[in-house]
Amino acid sequence: MNKSKAYTGIDVFRLIAAFLVVAIHTSPFTTYSETGDFILTRIAARVAVPFFLMTSGFFLISRYACDNGRLVRFLKKMTIIYGISIVVCLPLNLYNGYFGMEHFLPNLIKDLVFDGTLYHLWYLPASILGGAIAWMLVRKLGMGKAFVAAVILYCVGLFGDSYYGVIEGNTFLCQAYDCLFEVSDYTRNGIFLAPVFFVMGGMLADRKAERKHRGNFGPWAAASFVFFLLMLGEAMLLHHFDLQRHDSMYIFLLPCMYCLFQALLFFRGSRIVQLRSISLVVYIVHPIMIVGVRLAARVLGMWELLVENSLIHYLAVAILSAVFSVVFVWAAALCRKKVLPRFVPSLRVDESMAAFGSGNTDRSWIEVDLEHLRNNVKVLKRAMPEGCELMAVVKAEGYGHGAYEMAACVNRIGVRAFGVATIDEGIALRKYGIVGEILILGYVNPARAKELSRYRLTATLISYEHAMLLDRQGYRIKAHLKVDTGMHRLGFGADETERIAEAFSLKHVKVEGIYTHLCVADSLEESDIAFSKQQIDRFYKLLGRLEERGITIPKTHMQSSYGLWNYPELSCDYVRAGIALYGALSSAKDSTKLELDLQPVLSLKSRVVLLREIKMGESVGYGRTFVADRDSRIAIVPIGYGDGFPRNLSGGKSSVLIRGQRVPVVGRICMDQLAVDVTDIGEVQLGDVATFIGEDGEEQILAAEVADDAESITNELMSRMGRRLKVVARP
């Protein structure tokens, strides 16, 4: 892993948090100061479990995490760890008579779901339950509302924990909490405590793309210290007035943890994976080590030193737990490397198979460079007039780049307006967690007005009749009004002033924008420039007539990518950037008035899966269109027109980069594969990457070049890349 991408601060603090948990259960300062021990174990150490929960949320919860598989994998992993922990701690359960308690079965169910079968294991069911609740809240409500809901749950928990004394005089509330305590012994559990920290971790994950551009460690560390002092004062006051039923939940714990975690994220370096495993083992086994130290103290006659001296007792337990954990993790790693392959040979992967790749890159794939995408956003924003906002057009799966990857990336860095073609594309963005305005640029069936309202989507009013039908549905809908200034596609006629004015006064549909589309903005021919200026003039004259009728003009836009490139002087509220956002021209032959340093985001890649030696006179592919005029070496690559690589590029009309050199595609392109002549480039091996669009060494094939060869445009080429191509994002 790239060192700059690893969160070393999180890895290191995992171990610190584990030993803080050990301190909670051994009370290191009891021998010397009851107050000091209270501050350490009941205040300072209370950051440990929230930190673990936030760490899980950081890697799990995000408003952009639309794959439910992530949640399933997390829950499965935590359930397995919980099950192992229960088994490991069984001897202690037997020792303390756990299985002889009254009403064993209902108590066992309660412990399994909420409290843990041993006092420290409550964190594991809390993670399972809290993670699921947080995920559901973020999916249903979005990050902001999910945080509010989680804080409400936390506040309910507060009055069953540190603030219990506040409600003791209220009979109704006491009875309500007594009912809660019948189900769970504490409110510091997966319902009331855990969700808010999961959501906070997710909030910080959403901001990580912005973090490298602003802020630093110092202010966040200082803020966490200030909030810790406030939490210290809060806890001491609650303790002084004896208001606490338990002492895990404080008001100032929330801002303290947010700032602390934020500060830790600035520590970047090599990943220390072992610390994660060691800290987990320390957490699980330290109660066994407590019993072990006590047993050793009795046998050795050192009870006064090893047990009654609380600090020595803590150090003995901590050291013993650490040593056991390090040995266990080392032994487990050794077992995986040496023992497991010997006894389970079927799990071994032959090195020759590794050449074919793994995961998303085992056949053919689209690779998107998110750093290039972020660069393009900055470049476009700098080129736009002051006060103008970028609208990222992500229709047709983000022009083939992956709507999720594109929208989530630019949303993280501040883009708050998106353009899509259909209502279903808009709904998908909302389900991905995208915030801001989502404008549907195409037709929306009025029968789907309820969905427009529910998902807070903005419709395009394409005609007077369409606007009336939408309004009659009775749902509050946001809309932009499309004006036909000469393209004669969608939109009100530019001379339909009265009807447009009427659309502004609809009861349920609120017009928040008005726009047109320049149909020859990509051309610098004099006649086309004249036509574009005519369109612009018609649009502004319409706005003037609307103003004369007392209508406040909403947000305006008419520039697409080429509109910005060739008419940068236009002053509008939005620029609808599509192909420019992805760093490409529609055609390699295009020239533009404004030249911007945009970088291509998409690469199209596959792999060599078979090599064939072809004799002179032998043919390759359908129709025998390629007949070798020499002994040749042919590479078979698993990509075809079913993946969006055009069939009319057959017969040597296209080339591909392998090992940094251009080689021709030969024969007819099939639906799922094609052939490449690699005779002239030396040693080609199975698994070599074949680049159809993108860079390899010093060579580059631009999407516009491929589109021109296919007698098409880049927009069509990239949009037609099949859904079966996986999208691999490079951060």
Side-chain angles (χ1 to χ4, degrees):
M1 178 179 284
N2 188 323
K3 289 185 178 183
S4 66
K5 299 298 181 185
Y7 293 100
T8 310
I10 292 178
D11 289 335
V12 172
F13 203 83
R14 287 179 196 269
L15 196 59
I16 295 172
F19 285 115
L20 285 175
V21 173
V22 176
I24 291 173
H25 299 137
T26 54
S27 298
F29 296 156
T30 304
T31 305
Y32 308 99
S33 169
E34 290 288 344
T35 300
D37 190 74
F38 178 80
I39 291 173
L40 172 64
T41 61
R42 300 298 180 256
I43 305 174
R46 291 309 187 194
V47 305
V49 169
F51 166 77
F52 288 134
L53 297 172
M54 286 186 71
T55 299
S56 295
F58 183 77
F59 293 109
L60 172 69
I61 304 292
S62 168
R63 70 171 180 262
Y64 306 107
C66 58
D67 178 14
N68 288 332
R70 293 176 63 181
L71 175 64
V72 172
R73 290 189 292 272
F74 171 77
L75 296 179
K76 182 179 178 181
K77 174 185 172 183
M78 294 305 298
T79 301
I80 291 171
I81 292 172
Y82 188 26
I84 292 172
S85 302
I86 290 172
V87 173
V88 168
C89 294
L90 272 178
L92 291 185
N93 291 126
L94 292 169
Y95 174 76
N96 62 26
Y98 179 81
F99 297 99
M101 72 171 114
E102 293 184 4
H103 310 296
F104 172 70
L105 185 58
N107 278 296
L108 175 64
I109 294 172
K110 179 183 72 172
D111 290 344
L112 287 173
V113 176
F114 291 107
D115 299 330
T117 56
L118 201 65
Y119 55 85
H120 72 307
L121 294 184
W122 70 270
Y123 157 71
L124 297 171
S127 294
I128 295 169
L129 188 57
I133 291 172
W135 180 278
M136 180 187 68
L137 289 174
V138 172
R139 295 281 67 72
K140 297 292 185 182
L141 304 177
M143 191 64 76
K145 291 181 180 178
F147 176 69
V148 172
V151 168
I152 291 171
L153 288 174
Y154 186 82
C155 290
V156 173
L158 276 175
F159 291 103
D161 195 91
S162 296
Y163 285 80
Y164 185 72
V166 175
I167 58 101
E168 274 190 309
N170 188 305
T171 304
F172 173 77
L173 289 177
C174 283
Q175 289 176 346
Y177 277 93
D178 286 343
C179 291
L180 284 177
F181 297 137
E182 288 293 321
V183 178
S184 172
D185 289 341
Y186 308 97
T187 54
R188 58 103 172 94
N189 56 32
I191 295 178
F192 300 110
L193 179 138
V196 70
F197 293 108
F198 269 93
V199 174
M200 285 167 58
M203 291 167 64
L204 288 168
D206 280 356
R207 294 184 56 192
K208 66 185 178 183
E210 303 172 66
R211 188 171 300 111
K212 64 182 179 181
H213 301 297
R214 56 184 172 83
N216 52 62
F217 167 76
W220 290 106
S224 65
F225 181 70
V226 169
F227 283 119
F228 173 75
L229 292 179
L230 291 171
M231 184 173 74
L232 175 64
E234 175 189 11
M236 296 303 291
L237 282 172
L238 293 169
H239 183 62
H240 175 76
F241 290 106
D242 195 25
L243 297 175
Q244 296 164 302
R245 179 182 184 274
H246 195 55
D247 41 37
S248 291
M249 304 173 71
Y250 300 107
I251 293 173
F252 285 107
L253 179 60
L254 298 182
C256 177
M257 288 309 305
Y258 187 88
C259 296
L260 173 62
F261 204 94
Q262 180 77 279
L264 291 173
L265 293 179
F266 286 98
F267 286 93
R268 308 293 289 273
S270 300
R271 186 73 190 274
I272 314 175
V273 178
Q274 296 84 353
L275 289 185
R276 178 176 60 184
S277 302
I278 290 170
S279 63
L280 176 63
V281 177
V282 167
Y283 187 95
I284 293 172
V285 304
H286 76 270
I288 298 174
M289 300 306 158
I290 292 174
V291 174
V293 169
R294 288 172 176 265
L295 181 61
R298 287 189 185 279
V299 172
L300 299 174
M302 302 175 66
W303 185 266
E304 184 175 347
L305 175 65
L306 291 178
V307 177
E308 291 186 1
N309 187 314
S310 59
L311 183 58
I312 299 297
H313 179 59
Y314 166 73
L315 292 174
V317 172
I319 292 170
L320 197 60
S321 300
V323 170
F324 176 87
S325 301
V326 170
V327 172
F328 178 84
V329 171
W330 173 80
L334 188 65
C335 181
R336 283 195 298 270
K337 288 180 180 178
K338 294 185 176 181
V339 179
L340 188 60
R342 182 182 304 167
F343 291 102
V344 194
S346 62
L347 294 181
R348 299 181 69 179
V349 179
D350 190 272
E351 289 184 2
S352 64
M353 292 302 295
F356 289 98
S358 61
N360 287 339
T361 61
D362 58 350
R363 181 183 172 269
S364 303
W365 68 98
I366 291 168
E367 195 170 283
V368 291
D369 191 320
L370 299 184
E371 189 57 42
H372 284 187
L373 180 64
R374 288 188 284 267
N375 167 78
N376 294 345
V377 169
K378 293 177 188 174
V379 170
L380 290 169
K381 284 185 173 181
R382 284 198 295 265
M384 295 187 314
E386 186 176 351
C388 186
E389 188 176 350
L390 176 67
M391 178 182 289
V393 181
V394 292
K395 60 184 179 178
E397 279 297 312
Y399 286 54
H401 293 64
Y404 166 73
E405 289 78 7
M406 298 299 98
C409 177
V410 300
N411 205 200
R412 286 187 177 107
I413 59 174
V415 174
R416 293 294 181 267
F418 296 86
V420 296
T422 70
I423 185 172
D424 292 307
E425 288 181 341
I427 291 171
L429 290 190
R430 284 288 184 238
K431 289 183 176 180
Y432 293 151
I434 302 303
V435 297
E437 182 171 23
I438 299 176
L439 172 63
I440 302 167
L441 298 165
Y443 166 75
V444 177
N445 189 327
R448 304 189 71 178
K450 183 177 181 181
E451 292 171 278
L452 287 171
S453 178
R454 176 185 175 188
Y455 290 102
R456 307 177 309 284
L457 303 175
T458 304
T460 287
L461 304 182
I462 67 169
S463 69
Y464 176 78
E465 293 76 16
H466 182 245
M468 296 302 109
L469 284 171
L470 271 175
D471 191 60
R472 287 173 196 163
Q473 305 307 307
Y475 296 98
R476 294 185 63 83
I477 296 169
K478 297 185 297 180
H480 284 203
L481 191 146
K482 180 76 174 287
V483 180
D484 175 17
T485 54
M487 188 171 187
H488 299 321
R489 199 172 58 174
L490 301 180
F492 289 69
D495 57 350
E496 294 185 80
T497 309
E498 295 300 330
R499 286 190 161 190
I500 292 172
E502 190 175 340
F504 273 89
S505 60
L506 293 174
K507 181 178 180 181
H508 301 292
V509 176
K510 182 181 180 183
V511 178
E512 296 186 346
I514 184 169
Y515 72 103
T516 191
H517 190 64
L518 307 178
C519 58
V520 284
D522 58 334
S523 172
L524 293 179
E525 294 288 335
E526 285 189 20
S527 60
D528 290 331
I529 292 174
F531 189 85
S532 293
K533 288 183 176 179
Q534 189 179 61
Q535 283 191 277
I536 295 166
D537 185 57
R538 286 173 181 165
F539 184 67
Y540 282 128
K541 282 182 177 178
L542 169 65
L543 299 185
R545 292 196 297 272
L546 293 175
E547 283 184 320
E548 289 173 1
R549 285 165 171 75
I551 294 172
T552 301
I553 303 301
K555 291 185 176 182
T556 62
H557 47 109
M558 67 177 84
Q559 295 155 296
S560 58
S561 296
Y562 279 90
L564 176 65
W565 274 321
N566 290 330
Y567 300 92
E569 70 281 358
L570 294 179
S571 180
C572 293
D573 294 292
Y574 289 119
V575 165
R576 305 185 303 268
I579 197 67
L581 183 66
Y582 308 113
L585 291 166
S586 291
S587 169
K589 304 182 186 74
D590 287 344
S591 59
T592 58
K593 181 178 177 181
L594 194 66
E595 294 186 0
L596 301 176
D597 184 23
L598 301 172
Q599 299 172 322
V601 175
L602 178 144
S603 297
L604 177 62
K605 298 183 179 182
S606 187
R607 293 185 185 275
V608 174
V609 295
L610 186 66
L611 291 163
R612 287 196 176 279
E613 303 296 334
I614 302 296
K615 299 294 184 181
M616 185 174 67
E618 292 183 334
S619 61
V620 175
Y622 283 119
R624 302 185 67 245
T625 58
F626 172 78
V627 178
D629 58 6
R630 59 176 176 170
D631 290 348
S632 304
R633 197 169 196 223
I634 302 297
I636 305 301
V637 181
I639 189 171
Y641 61 78
D643 303 293
F645 196 72
R647 186 174 182 270
N648 65 352
L649 291 178
S650 302
K653 293 181 182 177
S654 59
S655 57
V656 58
L657 301 178
I658 297 179
R659 297 204 164 202
Q661 298 184 59
R662 283 184 181 245
V663 289
V665 174
V666 296
R668 286 184 182 166
I669 295 171
C670 307
M671 181 181 288
D672 313 305
Q673 52 208 327
L674 51 77
V676 179
D677 188 346
V678 295
T679 309
D680 296 327
I681 65 169
E683 190 63 29
V684 174
Q685 296 180 355
L686 296 180
D688 279 354
V689 172
T691 301
F692 291 82
I693 298 173
E695 294 182 355
D696 185 355
E698 297 182 359
E699 284 282 350
Q700 182 181 32
I701 297 176
L702 294 174
E705 174 189 340
V706 178
D708 284 351
D709 290 339
E711 299 179 354
S712 181
I713 60 172
T714 308
N715 313 49
E716 181 190 16
L717 173 72
M718 295 194 298
S719 298
R720 289 179 61 186
M721 290 180 182
R723 289 184 177 272
R724 68 184 181 185
L725 286 180
K726 301 293 197 319
V727 175
V728 179
R730 289 189 352 217

